[in-house]
Structures are given as C-alpha cells and as structure tokens.
Amino acid sequence: MKIETDYLILGSGIAGLTVAIKLAEQFPDRKILIVTKSNADESNTKYAQGGIAVVIDGIDDDFEKHINDTLICGDGLCNREVVEMVVKKGPKRLKELIDWGTNFDLTAEGNLDLAKEGGHSNHRVVHHKDQTGREIERAILTKTHQKKNIEILDFHFAIDLITKSNSCFGAFVLDEKNDTIIPVYSRFTILATGGIGQVYKQTTNPLIATGDGIAMAIRANATIKEMEFIQFHPTALYMPKSTSTFLISEAVRGFGAYLKTKKGRRFLFDYDVRGELASRDIVSRSIETELKNSKNKCVYLDCTHLDILAFKNHFPTIYQNCLLSGIDVTKDWIPVIPTQHYLCGGILVDKNGQTSIENLFACGECSQTGLHGANRLASNSLLEALVYANQIFEFLKNNDKKGSFVKTIISDRFISNNKSLDKKIIHKFKEDLQNSMQQNAGIVRNDTDLKKTLEQLLLWKKQCLEMEYEYKLTKDFLELKNMITVSIPIVAFSLKRNENKGSFFKEGKTINLQF
Ligand code: FAD
Ligand code: SIN
C-alpha cells in the first residue's frame, strides 16, 4: 500500500493545523494529509496555559516594546529581522484565530483581557483562562474537520523522511492500528512535530514530545541549530511522589503571586531587579541556586494575598489541580520546582519556513527561526507557530510549480521482522536516558558530565541501530531511538558552547549579565 498527497503535514498541534487549514482554503482541489501519532488533539499546544503574546493595546504598548522584550530575553542571539516580522504580524494572525472560532477572555468593556508574564514590559498576553491551548486546539481542529480536502490519519507515526539528492518526497509512516508501514509520497512536506520534553525526567510536556521531527531531519541531513538552549520553566508543581509535572503558569506571577523560600523570603530581588517577573532563565537559575544552598527540595508560590475570586476565575485549572494535590491556594503556598519546558533550537528554517532540504518545511517548536535566541520570551511560542505557519502557506501559494512525486521502494530496514523487543527493555532504556539528561544536561551543566553523557549516548545509539535490524519496529522503540538522536546534539552543542547565554549555563564559564 502507498499514499499520494499534495501536502503532507506531520503533526496536529497549532503549527500543523494552521498550515493545513490555510492550504485547504487556498487549494480546494488538492489533497492535504495530516499524519499524527496519537489522538489528533494530543500535543504540547493542548496544554498551553498562559496565552499568546500580541501587541493589542495601542495606548500603553507598541511593537517596539515587544521587540525589545524578545531581544533582551534572547540574550543577544535573536535574529532582529525575524523578531520584527513575528511581532508585527502577530495581531493579524490572532484575528484570524478568532475568526476561526477561538474564544479569548474579554474585559467587562468587551476588549481582549491582557495578562502579563515574565520578561514582558507590558500586559499583552491574550488568553482563555488558564486553558488557552485547549481552546485553540478545539477551535482549529473543529475548523480542520470542516475541510473536505483535509484528511487526518491519527495513530500514524512518521518514521523517516523520504529524501533523494537533498529533496524531500514524503515520509514513511507506521500505521499503528494495522501494524503496517506505508510510504506517503507528497509534493511538499511540513514538519510540525513539536518539542523534545520527554528526553528529560521532569518536563511539562506530554508523552508525544519525543523530538521525532528533529530526529528525522537529522537523519535526512537537514541543518539543525542551537539545540543546547533548553528552557526550564521556573514553576511546575512539586510532587515528590510523582514525575508528572503540572505547570503553574507564569501568568500567576504576572497576577501578583510571590516566589518564596521555605522560610518565607522573597528571594528573587537578590538576583534581578524585576523580581518574580524576570525572564525564565534567570528565575529558574535563581531557584536552582537557592535550592542548592538551602538543601530544600522546592520553593513556594504564595497566592494567599491575591483577590481569590479573580484568581479562581482566571486560573480554574490550576486552582482545581492544586486542590486535588491537597493544596488550597487561598491558604497554602504552592510548592514548585523548575522543570524542562521548551526547546529554543531545532530545525533551521528561513523566513519562509524552508529547511535546508528542498520541499521540506518546518514550523512550530521543532523549528529554529531565530525568534527566541538563547531564551524564549513567555507566550512567544504560539505566536511564532501562527506566524510561520502563515509564512509557509504564503510561500507555497506563490511558488506553486515546485514539488513533484518520486517513487522510492521501501528500504530493507522497513521489511517486517516479527521478533518483538521486550517493552520492559525499552522502558528501562528510556528511564536511563531521561535520568542522565536530567542530571547532566539540566539548568547548570559542566564539561566533565557532558563528555561522559555524550559517550553513553553514542553507545546507546549504536545499540539501537543493532536492535533496529533485529526486531520489529514499534512506536515505543522508534521514540526511544529519536530521543537518543536529539539528545546527542543537545549534549554535543553544550560541550561546544563556551559562553553562557540565556537558558544555557555551564559551570566555569562567564555569564553575560543583563543588568
Ligand atoms: P505540538 O503542539 O507539540 O504538536 C506536535 C504534533 O506532532 C502533535 O500532534 C504530535 O502528536 C505530532 N507528532 C510528533 N511526532 C510525530 C510523529 N513521529 N509522527 C506523527 N506525528 C507526530 N507557549 C506559548 O506561547 N504560550 C503558552 O501559554 C504556553 N504554555 C505552555 C504550557 C505547557 C504545559 C507546555 C508544554 C507548553 C506551553 N507553551 C506555551 C509552548 C507551546 O504550547 C508549544 O511550543 C506549541 O504549542 C508547539 O506547537 P507545535 O504545533 O509546534 O507542536
Ligand atoms: C505559562 O503559562 O507559564 C507558559 C507560557 C509559555 O510557555 O510561554
């Protein structure tokens, strides 16, 4: 069996669905195929809490302020042209999302309610309570289902890109329900496969975030960039008996919550004049330092002084989740720790979302556009995904002649092998990888541990390659292989980097202070 399509989109988060809808509207006679490895709505997008950063309020805010906040946060490594483009195109993309049926919270006067987060000099985060991603995913998935020329294949796992002479012609896909591998030939392929969070033991990302798209791009020899810049969110709920890490949105600090030590000291002003609203890299590193010095396991978010009715209204999910964990935010402080959250680097793309491989595009968290530099400004990720999905669409609309089909035979390694690898072995492998990355490629790194980790990763890569020929290909195994594949550049690029910038900090290196 084989499939042919005009456009193949891998991933059904905000980035993938946005490109799909736009292409479907522009080319009603063409086929758009979305391949997604879990339920169609399962994605990092679905869990986004804080919102989308967009300049809406033309009185207090302006583009220049948002541009500057992004550049400061990125610590000198943002591409200014890209930052300007994304910020300035934001309002139009937000309007489109609203036109597609996404509901955002409004003020009593009927204007968009604007929240504040770390690193922002103004209130500019448009949100739907603390469930912004869930609402966006609902609206755009509904819109996608209405398009007759879009087909979604859920529980289909993209294994590898089909490439020849630096051009992409589709992807090999594992149909999990029927246990078959299908070549999907397409004129244009778009990677929108999201982040890498599962590489770490503690992450805010859901299980789908195993870096598959980036691993596929690496195997196809696409250029990847700045994988060492891993963003740690300062405030995930600390639950000592569980590795599950529920996010306590930065908007809670924007709403006025204090970060305190166990003894009740608001410690952040010791590190940055912006206190609780410094950028994430600074807040996470400060917490790490406090924990190291005090030997405590967590710090605390104090919301007890806030207007609790307004809090419950803005953050109903956080309020409920805390209650389920035995924390009443009206009386108790919330225990929090920094946790892996976002990958700033990824597959290098130009301003049209083109990768270094012809007819292969990338957008969303798997891509590296130059917007985030060394550290992403809060709520700039959904914005980037929207803008770059549109950039790809505009490019494909105006460059319609390129892209052709090439028939490639299924390579030997995909010929079915019936011997199954014990799931327990894969699970143990994954655990070892996650522990090692958490320990050695976290907020504070050092060359000795990075070197040892790289050696271990290269050994695991070799072992995986041997297993690939011996055993049947399963999603679990392929994810493990991808997690190892993306961990290698995270560690190798960390070894290479000699200057501490933004979210990257290596012991023994100089830090570039912002103030
Ligand atoms: P995703 O939404 O992750 O979608 C990736 C898709 O690819 C999924 O459908 C997945 O199943 C599919 N996929 C992956 N691999 C394969 C494969 N091999 N084959 C087939 N399909 C595959 N950003 C903000 O700007 N504002 C926020 O408030 C915010 N809050 C956040 C809160 C949390 C808890 C998290 C985890 C992230 C948050 N972020 C936020 C970041 C933001 O949500 C993500 O960066 C963004 O949603 C990524 O969108 P995406 O479309 O690129 O990827
Ligand atoms: C949050 O709500 O704190 C997450 C925002 C983001 O990741 O941009």
Side-chain angles (χ1 to χ4, degrees):
M1 185 196 169
K2 69 169 195 301
I3 295 177
E4 285 188 4
T5 183
D6 292 298
Y7 305 96
L8 170 62
I9 298 171
L10 304 179
S12 53
I14 188 170
L17 294 181
T18 305
V19 190
I21 294 168
K22 300 190 72 106
L23 286 170
E25 286 181 346
Q26 178 71 27
F27 301 113
D29 299 330
R30 293 191 190 165
K31 187 175 164 188
I32 293 115
L33 181 68
I34 300 175
V35 163
T36 192
K37 73 176 177 180
S38 183
N39 289 314
D41 73 341
E42 190 56 7
S43 56
N44 274 6
T45 300
K46 188 167 112 178
Y47 299 92
Q49 293 186 357
I52 311 181
V54 190
V55 176
I56 296 288
D57 168 10
I59 302 164
D60 287 331
D61 203 9
D62 59 41
F63 288 143
E64 215 41 52
K65 285 187 183 170
H66 189 181
I67 290 166
N68 270 335
D69 292 344
T70 304
L71 293 172
I72 291 171
C73 213
D75 203 3
L77 292 191
C78 300
N79 177 331
R80 192 183 171 104
E81 245 182 75
V82 166
V83 176
E84 286 183 4
M85 177 184 88
V86 173
V87 166
K88 288 180 182 170
K89 291 193 174 195
K92 205 161 168 196
R93 301 280 63 87
L94 178 76
K95 181 175 180 309
E96 188 168 64
L97 203 55
I98 294 171
D99 291 344
W100 288 351
T102 315
N103 297 305
F104 291 102
D105 289 356
L106 302 177
T107 62
E109 295 77 41
N111 300 318
L112 284 166
D113 185 50
L114 303 176
K116 196 172 182 190
E117 292 183 48
H120 287 278
S121 56
N122 259 82
H123 283 72
R124 63 167 77 96
V125 180
V126 176
H127 61 96
H128 180 97
K129 302 201 176 287
D130 55 0
Q131 304 152 353
T132 309
R134 188 173 288 271
E135 171 58 12
I136 293 172
E137 189 70 23
R138 179 204 63 75
I140 55 178
L141 202 50
T142 304
K143 182 92 182 164
T144 305
H145 287 311
Q146 287 162 1
K147 302 285 167 204
K148 290 199 171 60
N149 53 339
I150 301 182
E151 185 183 359
I152 303 185
L153 293 179
D154 59 2
F155 296 96
H156 280 63
F157 185 96
I159 304 174
D160 258 324
L161 297 165
I162 301 172
T163 55
K164 202 174 170 189
S165 311
N166 203 45
S167 286
C168 182
F169 301 98
F172 292 110
V173 171
L174 172 67
D175 171 352
E176 272 211 272
K177 289 174 190 160
N178 295 307
D179 204 9
T180 49
I181 293 173
I182 314 163
V184 179
Y185 299 110
S186 72
R187 292 171 59 223
F188 302 97
T189 304
I190 296 136
L191 286 166
T193 45
I196 55 95
Q198 287 298 319
V199 153
Y200 288 85
K201 185 176 169 192
Q202 285 168 330
T203 176
T204 62
N205 293 190
L207 292 174
I208 53 100
T210 51
D212 302 336
I214 302 171
M216 284 187 261
I218 291 171
R219 288 191 289 273
N221 282 328
T223 308
I224 57 160
K225 203 177 163 194
E226 296 185 349
M227 295 287 287
E228 68 273 39
F229 294 115
I230 305 286
Q231 180 169 79
F232 286 77
H233 196 293
T235 56
L237 183 62
Y238 173 64
M239 289 184 285
K241 290 196 181 107
S242 159
T243 50
S244 137
T245 34
F246 176 71
L247 185 74
I248 309 291
S249 175
E250 200 157 285
V252 168
R253 273 174 284 133
F255 195 77
Y258 300 144
L259 260 175
K260 292 181 169 176
T261 61
K262 197 175 179 180
K263 288 189 176 152
R265 186 168 60 88
R266 276 181 77 188
F267 58 94
L268 271 158
F269 288 98
D270 297 351
Y271 298 88
D272 192 293
V273 290
R274 296 168 293 182
E276 277 88 358
L277 287 177
S279 55
R280 272 177 204 175
D281 52 340
I282 292 169
V283 180
S284 288
R285 233 178 357 255
S286 309
I287 296 175
E288 178 105 338
T289 308
E290 287 292 324
L291 294 182
K292 200 174 159 198
N293 293 342
S294 65
K295 309 255 181 316
N296 288 328
K297 295 269 184 264
C298 61
V299 291
Y300 297 86
L301 258 179
D302 178 2
C303 305
T304 55
H305 58 288
L306 300 174
D307 172 348
I308 289 301
L309 273 182
F311 183 94
K312 282 188 194 171
N313 186 41
H314 191 149
F315 305 109
T317 320
I318 292 173
Y319 178 74
Q320 277 305 328
N321 248 295
C322 285
L323 265 190
L324 287 175
S325 303
I327 301 151
D328 178 352
V329 300
T330 64
K331 295 191 287 240
D332 308 320
W333 296 351
I334 309 171
V336 289
I337 46 164
T339 298
Q340 192 286 339
H341 183 61
Y342 185 82
L343 170 69
C344 298
I347 307 159
L348 179 67
V349 293
D350 67 10
K351 278 166 88 179
N352 299 315
Q354 290 190 102
T355 69
S356 59
I357 295 182
E358 195 163 2
N359 298 331
L360 179 67
F361 297 77
C363 55
E365 192 166 339
C366 69
S367 66
Q368 199 276 352
T369 63
L371 176 70
H372 309 309
N375 180 46
R376 172 174 70 93
L377 179 66
S379 289
N380 261 359
S381 171
L382 296 171
L383 173 69
E384 181 194 48
L386 284 175
V387 170
Y388 270 83
N390 187 65
Q391 291 300 106
I392 294 175
F393 161 70
E394 290 290 342
F395 181 84
L396 289 174
K397 186 175 81 178
N398 299 323
N399 296 271
D400 193 32
K401 294 230 171 62
K402 282 191 189 166
S404 59
F405 293 111
V406 149
K407 313 283 152 47
T408 315
I409 50 156
I410 299 187
S411 73
D412 284 355
R413 70 198 175 95
F414 293 144
I415 288 170
S416 79
N417 191 333
N418 285 327
K419 214 163 97 185
S420 289
L421 181 61
D422 189 345
K423 272 195 168 205
K424 280 190 207 139
I425 297 180
I426 300 178
H427 184 74
K428 172 78 174 64
F429 232 130
K430 270 192 190 172
E431 251 183 24
D432 288 350
L433 171 76
Q434 289 168 333
N435 283 328
S436 173
M437 290 298 284
Q438 183 80 28
Q439 183 78 26
N440 304 320
I443 298 177
V444 179
R445 305 175 196 173
N446 68 70
D447 277 339
T448 314
D449 291 341
L450 285 168
K451 261 185 211 143
K452 277 191 217 147
T453 309
L454 185 59
E455 278 162 23
Q456 180 64 71
L457 287 168
L458 292 172
L459 187 71
W460 283 337
K461 182 183 170 192
K462 196 165 155 259
Q463 287 169 351
C464 260
L465 209 66
E466 284 159 12
M467 289 192 268
E468 189 170 343
Y469 283 95
E470 208 178 326
Y471 297 100
K472 186 173 155 184
L473 290 183
T474 61
K475 178 183 150 211
D476 280 355
F477 172 76
L478 292 162
E479 283 185 341
L480 168 67
K481 184 177 100 165
N482 289 337
M483 286 160 70
I484 295 169
T485 305
V486 296
S487 296
I488 290 172
I490 294 174
V491 173
F493 292 10
S494 299
L495 273 166
K496 259 198 189 158
R497 175 159 291 281
N498 276 319
E499 191 184 9
N500 289 334
K501 286 234 156 237
S503 57
F504 180 85
F505 189 90
K506 204 156 65 170
E507 278 168 343
K509 303 291 159 201
T510 50
I511 183 159
N512 178 1
L513 285 171
Q514 294 172 16
F515 292 94

